[in-house]
Structures are given as C-alpha cells and as structure tokens.
Amino acid sequence: KQEVTQIPAALSVPEGENLVLNCSFTDSAIYNLQWFRQDPGKGLTSLLLIQSSQREQTSGRLNASLDKSSGRSTLYIAASQPGDSATYLCAVRPGTGGFKTIFGAGTRLFVKA
Amino acid sequence: DTEVTQTPKHLVMGMTNKKSLKCEQHMGHRAMYWYKQKAKKPPELMFVYSYEKLSINESVPSRFSPECPNSSLLNLHLHALQPEDSALYLCASSPILRTGELFFGEGSRLTVL
C-alpha cells in the first residue's frame, strides 16, 4: 500500500533563505508526483508535476526533483519570500493498484520578513 | 483556461436542509473528483467520475449524493448532514482518470449547524 510522508511537518525560515521540502513514498511504481501549495481556507494550487520518466521540473524559483528508486522527491524554493508562506503538499499517482492519488500530510512553511 | 470553479464559496445549513455544491471546468477534462478536507489534514477522496460515469465511491455516506450532468459539470447534493460533515469540499479535474495533472477549485466551505 502506497504511503507518502512529508518532512518536516512545519518550517519557519527568514526571508531570502533557500529551502528544501522533502517527500518520500513507499512504492516506486508511480505515474507521476505533483507538488501543491495551499493557503489557509483555500484550494490547492498545482506548482509542479513530475512524470515518472522525469528527474526534475522547474518553474521560476521552484525546482522539484524525483528519485523513484529511492522513493523521494524534493521541492527546492530559492530566495524565499513572505508570500511563500503556505502549506505545501506532495501527491503521488500510483502506477498500479488503483486510481487514487495519495497525498502527504503537508509541510507548513512560514517565511519571516 | 486552467480553472475549476466551485460555488458557493461558503454554505451554512441545518441538519434537515437539502443543498448542493457545484463544480465546473472547461479544460476538456474527462475525470472529475470530489474531496473533503478537514483542518490541517490532506484532502480525502470521496467520489471520482470518469467520462461522466461514477468510477470510485470511497464508502461515502448516502447523505452525500454526487451527480455528473455532463463532461463539464459536477454536483454534490447534500441532505440530512451531521455537524461532523463541516469541512472544506474541493472539486478537482484531470485530463483522464489515471494520469495527468490534477487541478483543484477554491473549495466550498460547508458548516452544518
């Protein structure tokens, strides 16, 4: 059964710092992995989608990597800003055993001005 | 247009009321989803429609009744809800069921009195 874990659960950093959020999954048979951002009381905003055949994706200050063999993905945020404060969730689409996307519990990020 | 639109944004209802949540997308996606999210938890899958047919029902109580009138619309009919059903209800869509990027709406905040 696929399980997705995100570490740390919460993170507080000063503005300008580069940071890494971690996501691990137990079954390497995945179709894709997606990173989302969620502001309090709002929906999920898709940040990056990495297909199983890809190693990384970049969008602006964000870079996500995928290592299927080790069951890990990282989201790198460069030069963090207070506006980056949100909860970041990773989600895995399983390659076998059903259609249900599996979400991690998220990392709550606070960037101090 | 990469939008999923949900209405209403907020809904307060009594336990005897009947109400509906609505979701619309015009991206040509053929898979649509309802999720329920409690505070500080990841989204939990409720229902999935693929090509307007119900594909997944995650053992959701019958007081929640989904409907997919056409490929762009998804409804969630609510009847005789309990206070513990108060949550953020999120609609999402993807090109097809198994693969592709998930796009979420802003959610409908439901309060059951």
Side-chain angles (χ1 to χ4, degrees):
Chain A
K1 178 187 168 193
Q2 179 73 273
E3 292 181 4
V4 179
T5 304
Q6 291 188 246
I7 294 174
L11 182 62
S12 180
V13 300
E15 182 178 6
E17 194 162 295
N18 301 325
L19 57 101
V20 174
L21 306 182
N22 296 293
C23 172
S24 61
F25 47 96
T26 54
D27 187 344
S28 62
I30 65 171
Y31 268 110
N32 59 46
L33 184 145
Q34 195 168 353
W35 283 93
F36 294 92
R37 168 193 172 130
Q38 186 173 31
D39 294 294
K42 302 289 188 182
L44 279 68
T45 300
S46 179
L47 297 173
L48 290 163
L49 173 74
I50 311 178
Q51 302 291 355
S52 62
S53 58
Q54 297 175 320
R55 298 283 292 185
E56 67 177 331
Q57 283 286 343
T58 298
S59 176
R61 294 182 294 110
L62 305 179
N63 176 276
S65 68
L66 175 64
D67 184 344
K68 273 199 319 178
S69 61
S70 66
R72 295 170 71 175
S73 176
T74 61
L75 179 67
Y76 174 82
I77 303 177
S80 59
Q81 303 169 359
D84 295 329
S85 299
T87 296
Y88 291 81
L89 298 110
C90 73
V92 166
R93 288 263 204 179
T96 59
F99 306 112
K100 185 175 170 181
T101 296
I102 309 299
F103 285 85
T107 293
R108 281 181 285 124
L109 174 66
F110 180 61
V111 181
K112 297 171 286 188
Chain B
D1 181 8
T2 56
E3 264 197 5
V4 176
T5 304
Q6 290 188 243
T7 56
K9 290 192 180 349
H10 300 276
L11 179 62
V12 179
M13 60 186 291
M15 290 191 283
T16 59
N17 291 158
K18 284 186 182 180
K19 297 285 185 183
S20 297
L21 305 180
K22 297 185 185 300
C23 175
E24 190 169 4
Q25 57 87 15
H26 294 288
M27 295 178 277
H29 289 177
R30 304 314 299 267
M32 296 186 76
Y33 311 74
W34 280 115
Y35 284 86
K36 173 183 177 179
Q37 188 179 29
K38 292 284 215 179
K40 293 191 168 67
K41 298 288 189 184
E44 298 174 24
L45 184 64
M46 300 175 72
F47 302 103
V48 182
Y49 275 83
S50 177
Y51 289 88
E52 296 99 72
K53 291 194 180 345
L54 184 63
S55 294
I56 298 175
N57 176 341
E58 289 286 300
S59 303
V60 179
S62 60
R63 56 186 185 267
F64 294 92
S65 175
E67 179 195 19
C68 189
N70 60 54
S71 60
S72 300
L73 293 174
L74 187 65
N75 298 321
L76 186 62
H77 303 297
L78 315 170
H79 175 53
L81 295 192
Q82 304 296 311
E84 60 265 29
D85 296 322
S86 299
L88 182 67
Y89 288 83
L90 294 163
C91 175
S93 71
S94 65
I96 57 174
L97 180 55
R98 181 177 281 282
T99 64
E101 190 170 359
L102 268 176
F103 291 89
F104 280 83
E106 282 295 304
S108 293
R109 170 68 61 188
L110 173 67
T111 303
V112 182
L113 302 176

